[in-house]
Amino acid sequence: MNGPRAAADAYAHAALTRESYPMKTLDVNGVELATVDRGAGVPVVLVHGFPLDHTMWDAQVEALARAYRVIAPDLRGFGRSGVTEGRVTIEQFADDLAALLDGLGVDERVVLCGQSMGGYVAWQFWRKYAPRLRALVLCDTRAVGDTPEAARGRLETADRVLREGPAPLAEAMLPKLLPESSRKKNPHVADSLRRVILAADPRGIAAAARGMAERPDVTALLGQIRCPTLVLVGRLDRISTPDEMRAIADAIPGSRFVPIAEAGHMSPMENPDAVSAAMLGFLAESL
Ligand code: MLT
């Protein structure tokens, strides 16, 4: 078997059968953050989606660390990082990233890549820390804020996860994260996602869900982005659709739009080779 499917299967199998990359832990803004920090060169920061952890980027860590310094943290409340109860705003996640970079001694400008919730973090990082950015990669994410109904749903999700644990959320989210064709083709990706969601701390999930409910709409700001920007979307993404992401790309001056075949919302895991190739090509031309 060749092509994206073989690559995704091989990668997912590896993710299931080995420890992920070694991580550093740093005290940052009152919480211990764990991060992968591999390779050397221009720093590329990979920010995971909800309610996941850095392992969603395993394939890109492997591909990019040959030429760049790849930093892939677990956000506050996720993976191996410490948890803050209550509510964590997207701006707080962005502040954590800035402080994490300080803690790692990164004083040069970084490439910041965020998938979905990680993209929400990227918008806020750009808003507050634009001089620290060399380039942006927005992957399967949205610029709009939540509707009042969606925000209410987030708060209900937070309460439910705290009452019942992450299992119902895992079952509700998996069909949205991965299209049926992808779940059939990439059962290891579905297993890996389920495992990560089930292992997530309910307090971390709830805090991020509450933070996402009040995130600002950044649509009107997109025209002010001045750094090289890559917009990636799985052609089958139902959460941040290709049409919506193309509109984001159209609004960002000079950005590049790359649809990813055979992938939904989790394109970096579903078609890792295509995502890594798009990122490497963009970085080679833009830096
Ligand atoms: C994600 O993948 O991070 C979530 O789908 C984001 C969201 O729920 O808005």
Side-chain angles (χ1 to χ4, degrees), residues 49-50 115-118 120 154 173 177 212 215 239 265-266:
F50 171 88
Q115 185 263 354
S116 200
M117 182 178 77
Y120 309 159
R154 301 249 195 222
M173 280 199 77
L177 294 178
M212 282 196 290
R215 74 185 190 283
I239 296 177
H265 194 59
M266 297 307 305

Side-chain angles (χ1 to χ4, degrees), residues 42-67:
V42 172
V44 179
V45 184
L46 305 175
V47 187
H48 64 79
F50 171 88
L52 306 175
D53 66 15
H54 73 281
T55 56
M56 65 156 286
W57 295 112
D58 275 356
Q60 286 71 41
V61 172
E62 178 73 29
L64 273 68
R66 295 178 198 136

